Amino acid sequence: MNKLSVIIPTGNESYNIAEVIASVNFADEILVVDSFSTDGTYEKALKLATKVIRRDYIYSASQKNWAIPQAKHEWILLVDADERVTPELQKEIIETLENPKPDVVAYWIGRNNHFMGERVHYSGWRNDKVIRLFKRDFCTYEDKHVHAEIIANGTVSSLHHKLYHNTYTTFDNYVEKINRYANWQAEDYNKKTGKLTAYHFVIKPFYGFFKHYILQSGFRDGFVGLTIGYIQGYTVFMRYVKLWLLRKGRK
């Protein structure tokens, strides 16, 4: 089998670090990339991972692109701290690396998402997938502050089994995360957004809710789906509020 390096970016993930490392213990190298955590994540990782490196956090893509060349092996599996590799996915990854397709340099992996303690079946998260298994020297993340994806220099295939993903800790923490993302998105959208109008502050946020709750059947997820729909609309609104503030030179 081709040897595998796992990269796990962390930032105050003390409550996640042991479980995520345990879920990838089949790898030949577990490389934790810590952004100077203050909650004991670094100390726990030192005991559990193959190697721990540290760097100040700028934004996700920057952190990951810095870490990728430092992986020891050609094949990399990148797993966020709030994700878990299930036994079924582990088996498929091992089988894939035992008989890799010669032209494939990366693989999409789906995610089973959970929010507020519930599995999310719809709400725009149903077909969520990310490129996470890839060849080190053929892939890099696009330079975006939020939701950057791998740019692969070659063929990309897909795995059948999915990552377990639970991005939720508490509602307050989630809202704080949204506001942080809004700051980064404002920078990404500044270059491609013209004059800000009611379209950005009213129509687009309303459509964000309508898309996730109605078009993508969020109502079928019950109260959790309603919450996700509302948050999506709020996220869009905050993106343009932050962009307005950015252009005014205010905070």
Side-chain angles (χ1 to χ4, degrees), residues 77-229:
L77 175 66
L78 197 146
V79 183
D80 285 339
D82 59 6
E83 297 170 337
R84 307 287 182 266
V85 175
T86 65
E88 296 80 9
L89 178 57
Q90 173 184 330
K91 181 180 178 182
E92 185 177 8
I93 290 171
I94 291 172
E95 291 173 349
T96 299
L97 295 183
E98 285 177 343
N99 296 289
K101 299 176 182 177
D103 59 329
V104 174
V105 300
Y107 290 87
W108 290 99
I109 302 178
R111 295 194 292 187
N112 286 326
N113 293 294
H114 294 71
F115 187 70
M116 294 171 60
E118 303 289 336
R119 168 75 186 278
V120 179
H121 295 278
Y122 301 97
S123 303
W125 293 2
R126 185 176 187 177
N127 297 315
D128 180 29
K129 62 180 181 178
V130 284
I131 296 176
R132 289 298 180 78
L133 180 64
F134 55 90
K135 282 188 172 183
R136 180 190 55 209
D137 300 329
F138 291 82
C139 297
T140 186
Y141 277 87
E142 56 188 331
D143 189 24
K144 289 173 58 178
H145 288 80
V146 180
H147 303 312
E149 188 50 89
I150 285 282
I151 300 172
N153 185 20
T155 302
V156 181
S157 187
S158 298
L159 299 183
H160 297 292
H161 293 95
K162 298 183 178 183
L163 287 161
Y164 171 92
H165 181 218
N166 183 15
T167 188
Y168 181 87
T169 52
T170 68
F171 193 77
D172 287 345
N173 286 344
Y174 195 78
V175 172
E176 183 180 321
K177 178 181 177 180
I178 288 169
N179 286 323
R180 187 167 64 249
Y181 275 29
N183 282 318
W184 292 331
Q185 284 188 317
E187 296 185 31
D188 286 337
Y189 276 72
N190 190 28
K191 296 179 181 179
K192 60 183 180 181
T193 302
K195 181 181 178 181
L196 295 173
T197 66
Y199 169 73
H200 299 94
F201 297 109
V202 179
I203 303 300
K204 285 181 74 69
F206 174 78
Y207 181 73
F209 171 82
F210 181 79
K211 175 184 176 182
H212 286 268
Y213 191 64
I214 302 298
L215 298 182
Q216 297 178 325
S217 301
F219 61 88
R220 299 179 69 177
D221 284 319
F223 180 69
V224 169
L226 176 64
T227 305
I228 291 172

